[in-house]
Amino acid sequence: MKKILLVNSNTESAPYPVSPLGLCMLATALKNTAYEVKIFDGLWNHVNSGPQNQTISLVHVLKDFQPDVIGVSIRNIDDLIMEQSRFYIEEIEDLCITPIKKYGKGITILGGAGFSMFPIELLKRWKFDFGITGAGEESLLTLLHSIENGHPTDNIPGVLVRKSNGQITGSSQFEINTNGSKLIVPYPEIDTHLNYNPYLTRSSYPIQTKRGCVLKCLYCSYPTIEGKTYQLRTAKDVVDEIESVNKRMPNVVFEFVDSTFNHPPKHAENICREIISRGLSLKLRTMGVTPAGVTPELIYLMRQAGFVQIDCTPDSASDKMLQNLRKDFNRKKLEKVASVLKEADMPTMWFFILGGPGEDDDTLDETFDFIHWFIDERDLVHITEGLRIYPDTGLEEIAIAEGIIKKNESLLKPHFYISKHLGQKKLKTRTKEFTSQHYNCLLSADSTPSKEMIQKALEVRKQKNLTNEPMFRTLLRLRKEEFKTGIKQ
Ligand code: B12
């Protein structure tokens, strides 16, 4: 039997550790093939066989397992924070690429969300044999089958091939095959592929209900990673998966990891209805709630289904900026959304990104005014300064036209866009001024609570029996106290 080692290269544990869902999906797709699969989880230095909690280095895993194929998942490139940005690529080289090069055997394959944005650059940098952009399951199985049978590998959708002369051929991420509208993914059963205990205590269980994004936000790379059309799972299939995991891990919090949860809105509603009809008692959360798709009915259904918190992502509250960022909603809609969420008492983390094309003092005022007057002060407001420029986005074109970056300049090391009407210094001053008067507003650079703060929050939750309150609200209570006593400026 041939052996394949799948490597999770992601060692980030902020805002909390996230389990390698994509790799587990690949491992499940490889079941019933001629491959024995092992996952090395670089976050905890674990492999899925052997005693739980025993740490082991990748060097040892390679030596013991002797894989014929090594697949490395590249998720994060950087942390999107303009000031003191963390660049993961060099850490990944130390943890994964160097040991794999030293092992020197086996076919090497790259994949993952981060890889899909920079496929040619990373393949050249690390001289791997193949790269797979976008969804991995089908392409990987076809690639392995082709290699085994001596078939050509150049024409497999999403597969890039690095030839011995260094030339790269094959289809890039822009030709991701998204023609099917039904998505069939094998249940990843993450907890059967790796030691889930550390994730269980500090994280959530990720659920993907669809792939692709039809929205056209100026700066966003989701269409590059997942394709520009939706592939939907049926509500029954999604809830079957949730129900089965819930039986094994009754206390787990499920987190939806779709790029945007409530788009298309009917799909989100169907999932909520399916959960409600089965009478399941669940704790659910989701990122990526777009204001465009928020209706009182949807939020009511989400509450009924068990949503305990959501992330709402307007990015701006200025009509001019919403237009410039190519959003499909306006300020008026946003004000309605805020009141719907308040009425439903849906704990919400709000996300704004300041400094986009056209941002000036007036547009900042409009966003700050919205935050001040419309957002529940028990809710957290997350503010990012500057927009990370990704390849093949409208923002890249604007940044080139304005001379912020050069045409064909590498964007692997993060470059950020800030409106020329403001500049970095002024944006910083204005944002600091605002956040220093609003205890519930945090800059992304300051958004990870200290260990002491978390410890204190855990104690308060126990003392006051706040088990049903989202952790961010408890942390905000503490922050409010600090503000009152003047500890935090
Ligand atoms: C959901 C999500 C989150 C959630 C995660 C919740 C959870 N419990 O998992 C939260 C909000 C916590 C989060 C946080 C962060 N995130 Co995030 N996140 C996402 C999102 C939207 C989806 C990720 C996901 O789960 N996809 C579903 C799975 C099934 O897909 P997948 O892992 O990509 O795997 C498939 C393919 O990629 C491929 N594949 C994967 N690995 C491999 C390996 C091989 C060998 C092969 C062949 C194929 C392959 O096959 C898989 C199955 O088809 C992506 C954007 C996106 N659309 O991908 C951003 C994204 C990954 N996040 C990103 C970032 C930066 C972060 C943060 C650093 C932000 C921050 N400062 O806090 C943190 C880091 C968290 C951490 N600890 O690592 C960036 C990474 C790019 C970059 N600039 O580095 C992305 C791409 C968003 C973006 N465009 O900016 N994130």
Side-chain angles (χ1 to χ4, degrees), residues 10 12-18 21-23 25-26 71-73 75-80 88 109-113 117 132 134-137 140 204 206 208 211 221-222 225-226 255 257 259 287 388 390:
N10 179 17
E12 180 56 87
S13 56
Y16 43 85
V18 299
L21 171 64
L23 275 190
M25 284 176 164
L26 297 185
V72 181
S73 176
R75 182 194 196 274
N76 301 333
I77 305 289
D78 58 287
D79 61 5
L80 312 179
Y88 301 102
I109 310 175
L110 289 170
M117 294 185 282
I132 293 181
E137 295 88 344
L140 181 63
S204 54
Q208 189 181 43
R211 287 180 185 160
S221 61
Y222 292 167
I225 300 169
E226 296 189 6
E255 179 166 18
V257 295
S259 300
M287 51 161 282
R388 206 284 191 209
Y390 285 120

Side-chain angles (χ1 to χ4, degrees), residues 147-205:
I147 295 170
E148 259 161 53
N149 294 289
H151 296 161
T153 49
D154 299 77
N155 291 316
I156 307 168
V159 174
L160 294 171
V161 186
R162 201 182 58 85
K163 303 275 178 193
S164 48
N165 63 4
Q167 207 198 329
I168 291 171
T169 61
S171 61
S172 78
Q173 73 271 35
F174 311 116
E175 289 119 58
I176 288 173
N177 182 6
T178 51
N179 48 15
S181 63
K182 282 239 166 71
L183 176 65
I184 299 161
V185 290
Y187 300 167
E189 294 176 333
I190 304 175
D191 50 308
T192 66
H193 292 297
L194 41 85
N195 175 6
Y196 203 72
N197 288 337
Y199 293 106
L200 198 56
T201 38
R202 287 191 52 201
S203 186
S204 54
Y205 192 98

